[in-house]
Amino acid sequence: MAYTYYIRSWDPRSTYPTNPQEGDICYTITLDQTWAPVGGVKKDNIVKEEIYQNGAWVEQGGGGGLKTLYDGNVAISTQSSTFPGAYDSAATDLSESVETAPDALAVTVNIPNTSPFVLPYSRNNNAYGLFDGSDPLWNECPIVVALTGNGDAYSKFVASSVMSASLGMKIQAVTVS
């Protein structure tokens, strides 16, 4: 039996393959702000590997680096001073600080009908998200995250959104070797 190999992105518009067969493999890869594979499609760029087993995609592990920095609730409710019409969270402690800014952040939020978002680092804004110049592309991704800290380490984050809400969030650092 021949298995089919799929490539899936963390682009929120990306979906799982239709009609998978038992044993098919799906690789999730990291994309940059232009939705191109970071560093090309290669083993170090694989964030997650899943195999279709018993009617479901089952995670097998991944390549590159993926480290959970935060997993909990965040209240996004203060008028943003950075993004007009948006709201910010208070500076929130990361569960694990990082010394180097990750290549991207994989952010899962409990917004109905959304998949995890991969937020590329934007040098213009010194934040993670999808931007058109200095303006977030809220229609394509409803959240922006900025890492902050003391000295050389990033130990806190601020989340911004056009929605004022309390959201469950999981933030993972994505690094490409």
Side-chain angles (χ1 to χ4, degrees), residues 8-84:
R8 177 179 180 268
S9 76
W10 279 72
D11 175 341
R13 297 169 289 197
S14 179
T15 60
Y16 282 94
T18 56
N19 302 320
Q21 302 299 309
E22 189 75 14
D24 285 355
I25 298 173
C26 183
Y27 295 106
T28 301
I29 61 172
T30 307
L31 301 175
D32 66 17
Q33 196 162 351
T34 66
W35 302 113
V38 174
V41 177
K42 58 184 181 180
K43 185 174 181 171
D44 290 345
N45 195 10
I46 297 172
V47 175
K48 181 167 54 170
E49 176 184 349
E50 297 168 286
I51 298 178
Y52 195 75
Q53 298 173 331
N54 299 319
W57 289 102
V58 179
E59 187 170 349
Q60 304 298 307
L66 193 62
K67 176 178 13 175
T68 299
L69 301 179
Y70 182 81
D71 193 353
N73 291 322
V74 176
I76 301 175
S77 58
T78 304
Q79 284 290 326
S80 177
S81 59
T82 308
F83 306 116

Side-chain angles (χ1 to χ4, degrees), residues 23-152:
D24 285 355
I25 298 173
C26 183
Y27 295 106
T28 301
I29 61 172
T30 307
L31 301 175
D32 66 17
Q33 196 162 351
T34 66
W35 302 113
V38 174
V41 177
K42 58 184 181 180
K43 185 174 181 171
D44 290 345
N45 195 10
I46 297 172
V47 175
K48 181 167 54 170
E49 176 184 349
E50 297 168 286
I51 298 178
Y52 195 75
Q53 298 173 331
N54 299 319
W57 289 102
V58 179
E59 187 170 349
Q60 304 298 307
L66 193 62
K67 176 178 13 175
T68 299
L69 301 179
Y70 182 81
D71 193 353
N73 291 322
V74 176
I76 301 175
S77 58
T78 304
Q79 284 290 326
S80 177
S81 59
T82 308
F83 306 116
Y87 301 90
D88 292 337
S89 69
T92 305
D93 289 334
L94 295 171
S95 55
E96 185 172 339
S97 63
V98 290
E99 291 185 22
T100 305
D103 297 314
L105 296 178
V107 179
T108 306
V109 291
N110 64 344
I111 301 171
N113 303 316
T114 62
S115 301
F117 299 97
V118 166
L119 306 179
Y121 180 69
S122 171
R123 293 198 192 291
N124 281 355
N125 299 80
N126 201 27
Y128 293 86
L130 299 178
F131 295 91
D132 180 13
S134 61
D135 297 325
L137 296 171
W138 297 119
N139 290 341
E140 293 190 35
C141 185
I143 199 146
V144 169
V145 175
L147 298 182
T148 63
N150 299 348
D152 294 335

